[in-house]
Amino acid sequence: SECSKAHAIFHEVILSIGRFPDSSKFLFFEGEEDPAFYLGHVTGYTVEEHLLSKICHGRDDVLKVLDLIRADGRLNERALFFVDKDHNDFVGGKVTCDDHVFQTRWYAIENYIVSEGVFFRFWVDFLHLDSGDERRSSYYAKFVKTYSRFERKMAILMAIVLLGRGIDGRMSRKLNLNNLRMDLVFELDFEKLTCRFKQGAGKHFVLATNCDEYPMKARISAIRQVIARHLRGRNSKEFIRGKYELWF
């Protein structure tokens, strides 16, 4: 665990500089899945064998490595940093991107995968169906209509998360969004174009994510306020957690 912390990663990289050519780039990511998403884009601009990836296990440690490298100065032009936006534009901590720092436009990289382009790629590359198949547009229309219902319900749940994260000056608490089982929250039917909350979904959501601090009456009023003030009119990919959207 200590070896994956920012200071350890920084010292490991600095001690290894002399073993790599001056053309090499050091890439710092949040999680194990991130290189698979980003490297296909990065390798279009540089020689792949001169890329060295480091996993920092979280946004905070990536940004801490960024601070350490910029204070040191030796790798300023050779280090690239990749972070998810998460809810930082709602609750502070927004990153100013530059030539060496990329922050997602959406909540996370998973939100980019849920798209029309990927749907059509899946249709051809994985299902081995013709791109001109007349069923393609009707299946995608089902996806879009069901997603719109999912999107509206997720706004309610993400408002609860933002309350837990201290939006509008409220007290924040440490949330665990990985504990949530989406199959216990939603019931989907792509033939009937429905997306419903399962019985007990709200209770499971607030207990699993550790969002159960506020009394229910106060929470309902606050949820409406957060949706009206912060979420309405924005692209839902900015606030729906990427892994939840990818589950859908």
Side-chain angles (χ1 to χ4, degrees), residues 38 101 185:
Y38 285 112
V101 181
V185 176

Side-chain angles (χ1 to χ4, degrees), residues 173-226:
R173 63 183 303 161
K174 186 171 178 60
L175 305 181
N176 192 339
L177 303 185
N178 291 320
N179 274 350
L180 185 68
R181 285 186 52 187
M182 294 291 283
D183 60 314
L184 297 181
V185 176
F186 289 110
E187 182 176 319
L188 302 174
D189 190 323
F190 286 96
E191 291 301 321
K192 297 179 180 178
L193 309 180
T194 58
C195 174
R196 297 189 177 96
F197 284 130
K198 285 189 171 181
Q199 185 174 358
K203 183 177 180 180
H204 169 69
F205 183 85
V206 296
L207 291 175
T209 58
N210 202 31
C211 284
D212 58 335
E213 178 182 359
Y214 303 101
M216 183 54 74
K217 287 186 179 179
R219 187 184 297 120
I220 291 171
S221 173
I223 288 169
R224 289 174 177 162
Q225 185 182 66
V226 170

Side-chain angles (χ1 to χ4, degrees), residues 5-17 68:
K5 297 295 184 183
H7 281 88
I9 290 173
F10 167 72
H11 287 297
E12 179 187 354
V13 168
I14 291 299
L15 289 170
S16 69
I17 291 176
L68 292 169

Side-chain angles (χ1 to χ4, degrees), residues 1 20 32-33 53 57 63 66 102 113 127 141 143 159 197 221:
S1 176
F20 302 105
E32 302 287 349
E33 306 94 346
S53 301
H57 299 286
L63 298 179
L66 168 65
F102 176 83
I113 299 172
L127 300 182
F143 170 84
F197 284 130
S221 173

Side-chain angles (χ1 to χ4, degrees), residues 59 63 85 87-97 103 234:
R59 173 190 170 92
L63 298 179
K85 178 183 72 68
H87 283 147
N88 283 278
D89 51 341
F90 293 95
V91 293
K94 188 175 182 180
V95 170
T96 300
C97 302
Q103 177 178 265
R234 297 185 70 153

